[in-house]
Amino acid sequence: MSFLAPGFFFASLVAAAAIVALHFIVTRQPRAGVLPTARFVPDTRATTVAPARRPSDLLLMVLRVLLVLAAGAGLAKPVLTPRRGAAARVILVDVSRSARDSTAMRDSVIAIYRVGDAVVAFDSSARVLAGNLSDTLRALRPTSRRGNLSAALITALRAGSRLRDRADSLELVIVSPFAREELDAATDDIRKLWPGKARLVRVGSSIPTTASGEPRIEWPASSRPRFAVQRGVRDTVGGVMADEAVVVAAFDRQWSFAPDSVRGGEVVARWVDGEPAAIEKPEGDGCVRSVAVPVTGVGDLAIRNDFLRFVSALSRACSSETAVIPAALDAITKLEGKGGLAPREAFRPLSDGHSALAPWLFALALAAAIAELFVRRRRKDATRIDGARSAAREARAA
């Protein structure tokens, strides 16, 4: 057994020790002595605080210690540590538009997967597959979305933290065609967070096909761009970006792309606040790009280098073609990495893990608290009865 937050349990041990120590300090009547006069003696029971060899109220002490330890253990989130194996795998499966050979992709994953491995499917986002993985893997199909290896690697790190208690070492396996569009500026830095070497399984063909048509760009000067709608509130935004090209300028936004208009297409340019500035949709053998970026004839915006790079980014090939362009060899080498398997100690345990024992421990603490109330009430009633009997005896003696 291990604790996800052991600090709470250590604090409860200290509190329990303090409770035991306090029960060795008792209040009792002092030894009687002869006084020269009794005029100034108050008419109350004389008591004093002194250490004892045996704890007072043993049952109360046990209930209080049980209450503190159960509550502390519940807050510490105990988990039963499973028996560890030699190695486990985190398998990244590319289901983006680049993975066109779905049969080869599924066969590769099924051949690699073992019970206990974590499987992460990714396109533009990444998610850990759950449930009956044998059936889930056979049902995998590529989507129409662009792949994002950075998001997949981040999810793999979290999956590694979940597997760290099941194996002594972890292996990263990436099943993908490794298209160039799936890598971005952050991919290399995120990959370095996973120590050791990764096993790369290339599936499908990421070789450029014969051009299927150049993109047709629709960029009206003042009329409504295709697929766009009038903005409810016309405003000004300070910049726009496409791929790595960023243009900083004051743009008067009159049009916007509603979510329905983006469905079935791809955002190829965004304003600095994240709203789509240009979208692409397939059309015929190629694609059409609708741009809602106003360009004024006043000033030098149209001839600036950053704006020319922006236009070049909007003029790239259609996504159906860029999806199969392979990544550079040096990028693939960085993804593969060097060394052996990643040790389990390289992954932090998840602080938000679930503890199945915690609710039972809290129930035990609650039961101990209720039992303490009943014991204290019985002690109080017994003391009151004893006091009444003593008073009656004294009255009869007088």
Side-chain angles (χ1 to χ4, degrees), residues 1-4 73 76-82 165 353-358 361:
M1 180 184 292
S2 61
F3 294 98
L4 299 178
K77 297 182 180 180
V79 292
L80 298 176
T81 305
D165 292 329
H354 174 70
S355 171
L357 297 177
L361 290 169

Side-chain angles (χ1 to χ4, degrees), residues 41 69 96 120 125 128 133 149 165 172 186 188 214 229 243 301 319 361 368 375:
V41 177
L69 291 180
S96 70
V120 178
S125 60
V128 179
L133 289 186
L149 265 169
D165 292 329
L172 177 63
D188 186 28
E214 292 296 325
V229 295
D243 290 338
L301 175 64
S319 298
L361 290 169
V375 171

Side-chain angles (χ1 to χ4, degrees), residues 91-94 104-114 119 137 140 175:
I91 305 173
L92 303 184
V93 187
D94 191 343
M105 178 262 294
R106 289 195 301 271
D107 291 344
S108 299
V109 177
I110 292 173
I112 296 170
Y113 172 73
R114 299 291 182 271
V119 181
L137 295 179
L140 287 177
V175 182

Side-chain angles (χ1 to χ4, degrees), residues 313-338:
L314 290 180
S315 304
R316 62 178 172 82
C318 294
S319 298
S320 58
E321 296 182 23
T322 59
V324 294
I325 298 177
L329 180 60
D330 60 337
I332 298 296
T333 303
K334 291 179 180 178
L335 272 178
E336 187 174 14
K338 298 179 180 179

Side-chain angles (χ1 to χ4, degrees), residues 212-217 280-289 316-320:
S212 58
E214 292 296 325
R216 184 163 61 89
I217 300 176
E280 171 191 310
K281 285 195 173 185
E283 186 176 74
D285 293 334
C287 64
V288 57
R289 290 201 179 109
R316 62 178 172 82
C318 294
S319 298
S320 58

Side-chain angles (χ1 to χ4, degrees), residues 54 89 345:
R54 297 180 59 186
R89 301 174 186 84
E345 292 79 9

